[in-house]
Amino acid sequence: MTRKKMLPLALLAAVVVLLAVLLAVLHSAAEEEELPGIALCPLTAAELDTVSYSGENVEVTLQKGSGGTWRLASDPSLPLDQEDVAALVEQYAALRADRRLQGDELAEIPARSETPLMIFTLTGGETTRTLTVDCANDVAEIHYLYDETGAAYTIPQDDLIGLCKAPRDLYEPQTLTDKTADDVAEMEVGALTFTHTDGEWTLDGEPDYPLDQDAVQKMANTLCNLQTEWTITAPEDGGYGLTHPDVVAVLSFTDGTALTVRFGNETPGDDGACYLRASSDPSVVYEVNADHKNAFAVTKQSLYDAEATAETAAED
């Protein structure tokens, strides 16, 4: 093909690319214009580096580190679920008011209370936005909201649901080990020691003792699959019952490593949790479901498998 014939084709291709770019820009602009209401946060979720909120008996400040990881300002070492935090930050960045009240409309608003329902402070770089949620109009299903300049807005009540999440709502459950029960070579529970060979559990010193395999396997699975409900990153000296624990369990793995777990007192209140300390991170105390501790309420006699004895007798 000659150079003269190729030139029009090149120009046509360039025009097509340009039109595609213009259409994409116009489509994006149209989507932005279609969003209802008035944006309350001048920053995108990616631009926010601090989100503080108080209300519903919660006061939290979340800070984003240089690596993009969000941490709780009052307890930076507390593990947070980054996806949950990112979703919450997105909610704040997307806050929009129905309308801004002006003129005679301002006189119809109830007087601002001394104790607002919620206060949000959103910061990114040198930009800070403070939003105060005051009294509600339950008939219209709105809240009155003010920015730092005193400008008044209305916002749907539903848009504020779930914005004041407690740290426990953002907590990332922890596991005690990355091993599975198949990796366990030996397990000690109190005075009992079990050996695990080719998927079969035997009682140390009494290999012919008919063990309830399911019950022993449950204990191993419990420790390997356990997920924590909370981490006390700066535990006090006592009060957890871990100095004289209710249960001590030790898993020895085929690679030569081991995990020691101590179950202590039940936590205050009626939440069905208890304290736990693990050798994988002895600097912290965990709260876990108390049912995990109950799985270790066993004795040699309770692990006796009568059915296995009967089957063996029948075979003989």
Side-chain angles (χ1 to χ4, degrees), residues 49-82:
D49 50 47
T50 303
V51 173
S52 298
Y53 54 86
S54 62
E56 301 178 0
N57 298 317
V58 170
E59 188 169 347
V60 168
T61 295
L62 298 167
Q63 295 175 328
K64 184 167 64 175
S66 56
T69 301
W70 288 92
R71 291 287 178 249
L72 188 68
S74 60
D75 192 357
S77 57
L78 182 73
L80 298 181
D81 187 314
Q82 294 301 308

Side-chain angles (χ1 to χ4, degrees), residues 54-275:
S54 62
E56 301 178 0
N57 298 317
V58 170
E59 188 169 347
V60 168
T61 295
L62 298 167
Q63 295 175 328
K64 184 167 64 175
S66 56
T69 301
W70 288 92
R71 291 287 178 249
L72 188 68
S74 60
D75 192 357
S77 57
L78 182 73
L80 298 181
D81 187 314
Q82 294 301 308
E83 290 186 5
D84 287 349
V85 176
L88 180 62
V89 173
E90 288 278 2
Q91 283 184 269
Y92 278 109
L95 280 175
R96 303 182 75 85
D98 284 335
R99 58 197 180 96
R100 178 173 177 174
L101 304 179
Q102 302 183 56
D104 295 340
E105 293 177 314
L106 297 172
E108 299 174 5
I109 304 176
R112 293 182 64 170
S113 61
E114 295 182 0
T115 54
L117 296 176
M118 305 175 190
I119 299 177
F120 311 139
T121 302
L122 313 174
T123 302
E126 301 297 320
T127 302
T128 296
R129 183 74 157 177
T130 300
L131 304 171
T132 302
V133 181
D134 208 53
C135 55
N137 182 330
D138 292 329
V139 175
E141 297 183 341
I142 60 171
H143 275 292
Y144 296 104
L145 179 146
Y146 302 86
D147 65 18
E148 64 278 356
T149 70
Y153 305 84
T154 62
I155 188 170
Q157 293 179 356
D158 288 348
D159 290 0
L160 301 175
I161 295 175
L163 287 180
C164 288
K165 290 188 181 296
R168 283 182 181 266
D169 298 323
L170 299 171
Y171 175 73
E172 181 179 31
Q174 302 295 290
T175 55
L176 306 182
T177 178
D178 59 357
K179 304 290 196 305
T180 69
D182 291 338
D183 300 317
V184 178
E186 188 177 273
M187 176 171 61
E188 298 176 35
V189 179
L192 301 175
T193 300
F194 309 93
T195 301
H196 189 218
T197 306
D198 296 329
E200 189 78 10
W201 293 96
T202 56
L203 186 63
D204 192 43
E206 297 184 54
D208 295 329
Y209 187 84
L211 280 176
D212 183 336
Q213 295 292 315
D214 290 340
V216 179
Q217 184 70 25
K218 180 180 179 180
M219 290 188 286
N221 287 337
T222 294
L223 295 182
C224 290
N225 300 331
L226 184 148
Q227 288 195 330
T228 64
E229 296 185 355
W230 186 247
T231 300
I232 301 172
T233 56
E236 299 174 356
D237 292 335
Y240 306 113
L242 296 169
T243 303
H244 303 287
D246 295 332
V247 175
V248 177
V250 181
L251 297 183
S252 298
F253 300 106
T254 54
D255 65 357
T257 61
L259 172 70
T260 300
V261 177
R262 292 174 170 81
F263 289 93
N265 297 337
E266 294 193 3
T267 60
D270 189 25
D271 56 2
C274 69
Y275 297 114

